[in-house]
Amino acid sequence: MSKLNKTLVKRFFAGALSIAMLVGALTGCGVSTSSNGSDVKAEQTEATTQDESTNTDAATVASAEGKTEIEFWYSGGKTAVGVVQGIIDDFNASQDNYYVTAVTQGDYDETYQKLQAGIAGDVAPDVALLEVEAARNLSDKDLLTDLQSYIDADSDFDRDDYLDVYFDQGTDGDKVYAFPAYGSTQVMYYNREVFEKAGVTPDDIATWQDLADVSKKIKDEGIATYGWEPMWDEDNLIDMSFSNGAKLISDDGKTVLINSDEWVEVWESIRTWIHDDEIMAVHSGGQGWEYWYDTMDDAVDGTAGGYTGSSGDQADLDFSVVGAMEQPAWDDDSESAPTARAKQLVSVANSSDEEKQGAFEFIKFFTNPENQAKWSLETGYVSVRASSQEDADYKAYSEEHPEILVPLTQSQHASIRPIDPTGGEIYDALSVAADKVELEGVSAKEALDEAAETAQAALDKVNE
């Protein structure tokens, strides 16, 4: 089959999958994998449709003539798509061996589902952008290329410049099955005027207890309605728990630990601050990301002293009004350890050797310091390369807006969000418990005991 015919088959297949998935969704038969809300908010607010990218026109064919075509499947909002296409165009112009074409998907779940079907039908793309869990699942089935041999053969490859917290999420022993495309970690955004009126600075907040004291001061002095607003979901609470030394499961993988004292202490404190002291609040529900933007708006207009949100929020914030700071430690005896999550670029194993080499070259290009700086500046997400700070545009922007450095510096001491061996049931149980604690005021001990019982049953099935 010629390269052009192969591409046409792939794109026809992808289009057919879109129709099939739409029919499945309408009939209630869709399959979904859970995504972290903080990571996908900005990317999916204005998600593109695949129909925009599935046609092979004469110009594309002419441009790709004589080159090995590398097909790339990914999802993103309009801003992200524009940045990605710019990187693709630069890559195509930078060398004469490969030509990358992109097919956008509705979201990460859709990319993963279509990729599995494409692999089964031998019409998969060569490169895809996936969630950590999806990439790990495919790697465990030996469906992804081990990129370690390509790294070993590349004398210019600088592993030490990649942030460990992001790169290590795509490794398994000596195997490298994914590269981090970009990172995300939840940081703190505070209203400058509110903090000034309260006479506090970020340096005064070394622990969550310090933040509670500041929140009480803001509330009691009538400076704002609430001192702080955690974002609605389990993610804030998980980060805080890890900063208190909590663990998801035991080292032997047999026991769920989400109702240990470390978890209960954190979650009960949040319940108290929201429901008893009323110094914090949580927005929930609404259409789509309405709750997220309501939370952001409260910090911007001074209804709240600040909020905990995604690094990707930086693209929507006015830093003359708000500032940014890292998440604090839980208490004086602990260290800050919020999670950091990567979105991952993978090479599909059933591509040809030539396509795999091209996939590696594109992945390396996408994650070079300059492109990572460009990505971070345009989207607000975190560069996975330490030396991006030396990029001229990034350096100039960060000198004027040091807030962009906060997610990057936090990532350098962040923890990797543990893989849920049940396929998401432990995190689902935590999500239910978070709603009970934050929205209903149920005691943390009761909510987490129930969550642990549900999660343990799921883990026991996996370990049978």
Side-chain angles (χ1 to χ4, degrees), residues 309-325:
S310 169
S311 49
D313 291 354
Q314 294 207 6
D316 298 322
L317 291 171
D318 179 352
F319 285 118
S320 67
V321 177
V322 298
M325 59 186 181

Side-chain angles (χ1 to χ4, degrees), residues 16 22 56 64 245 287 345 379 404 410 413:
L22 176 60
T56 303
Q287 295 293 317
L345 290 164
T379 69
I404 196 173
Q410 179 170 290
H413 64 81

